[in-house]
Amino acid sequence: IHVALLVVVATVFFTAAGLALSRWALASCPKLVQWLLSPLLGLSVWTGATVGVFHYLPFNRVTVILLGGSAIVVSLYVVWRNRLSGLYLMRSVAPLFAASAALALLPLTMITPSLNRGGLFFAIPIFDHMKVALVDTIFRHGLPPVSPFYAIDGHPAALNYYYGWHVVAAMLRVVPGVSGLAAEAALTYFTAFA
């Protein structure tokens, strides 16, 4: 249930943020293309912007909500100023979004644990997603992240790893307070969708 709710939140948020960006950056493209690229554009720009911002701001529920709310307000303003025939476009885009959403379920099934004969089993691809520890360490310590696996003499060590995607997963975790695995599974689904 948590994963499904996070998927809806991520899809609405990144699509809304990306729609405003696509109206500006892809103004010469057809409106349908702008809609279809919105989720990916929203995720990409949000990740790039917030990784830098959270090196200076505290990583907590308040700052994540304030930044996210600001992004939505700006996006709604830009979309409102450009006033398109949004309902017509939504009817055109809805079948393509639905098909993408259905296809994005395939990678999610590969990382979802299954119950069999009283035991919990993980598929091989889950081991890449055992990086939930990265999501949890960002959730607990903020940025720059410390390594969840290595500490020299018990002191936190800097993380030498690309962690932008994990920061977004930690943001999904911090707002509703779900587990790192639920946040990472939801972002995996959204990434496949986008």
Side-chain angles (χ1 to χ4, degrees), residues 14 37 46 80 135 163:
F14 291 122
L37 291 177
W46 178 259
W80 177 78
V135 173
Y163 54 83

Side-chain angles (χ1 to χ4, degrees), residues 30-174:
K31 304 296 185 219
L32 181 63
V33 172
Q34 292 176 4
W35 268 95
L36 293 175
L37 291 177
S38 294
L40 181 61
L41 191 58
L43 175 64
S44 301
V45 172
W46 178 259
T47 301
T50 56
V51 167
V53 166
F54 279 116
H55 278 273
Y56 302 103
L57 293 178
F59 188 87
N60 58 38
R61 180 174 287 150
V62 173
T63 53
V64 170
I65 289 173
L66 284 175
L67 285 175
S70 300
I72 291 298
V73 167
V74 169
S75 297
L76 291 174
Y77 175 74
V78 169
V79 171
W80 177 78
R81 286 223 359 127
N82 290 330
R83 286 187 209 96
L84 294 176
S85 52
L87 292 176
Y88 172 75
L89 274 173
M90 274 306 276
R91 283 186 298 221
S92 302
V93 173
L96 296 170
F97 268 46
S100 294
L103 284 172
L105 286 172
L106 294 175
L108 188 60
T109 61
M110 294 302 294
I111 64 165
T112 304
S114 62
L115 199 57
N116 188 4
R117 297 182 191 167
L120 190 61
F121 291 88
F122 293 92
I124 299 265
I126 191 70
F127 294 107
D128 185 48
H129 289 271
M130 294 310 263
K131 293 180 190 138
V132 171
L134 297 178
V135 173
D136 287 339
T137 196
I138 293 168
F139 171 77
R140 282 192 297 274
H141 302 290
L143 295 180
V146 296
S147 174
F149 308 111
Y150 181 67
I152 303 169
D153 296 327
H155 300 293
L159 181 66
N160 291 327
Y161 189 77
Y162 54 94
Y163 54 83
W165 188 90
H166 297 87
V167 172
V168 177
M171 284 183 228
L172 285 176
R173 179 172 186 226
V174 77

Side-chain angles (χ1 to χ4, degrees), residues 1-15:
I1 300 287
H2 290 131
V3 173
L5 290 174
L6 286 176
V7 164
V8 170
V9 167
T11 302
V12 170
F13 177 78
F14 291 122
T15 302

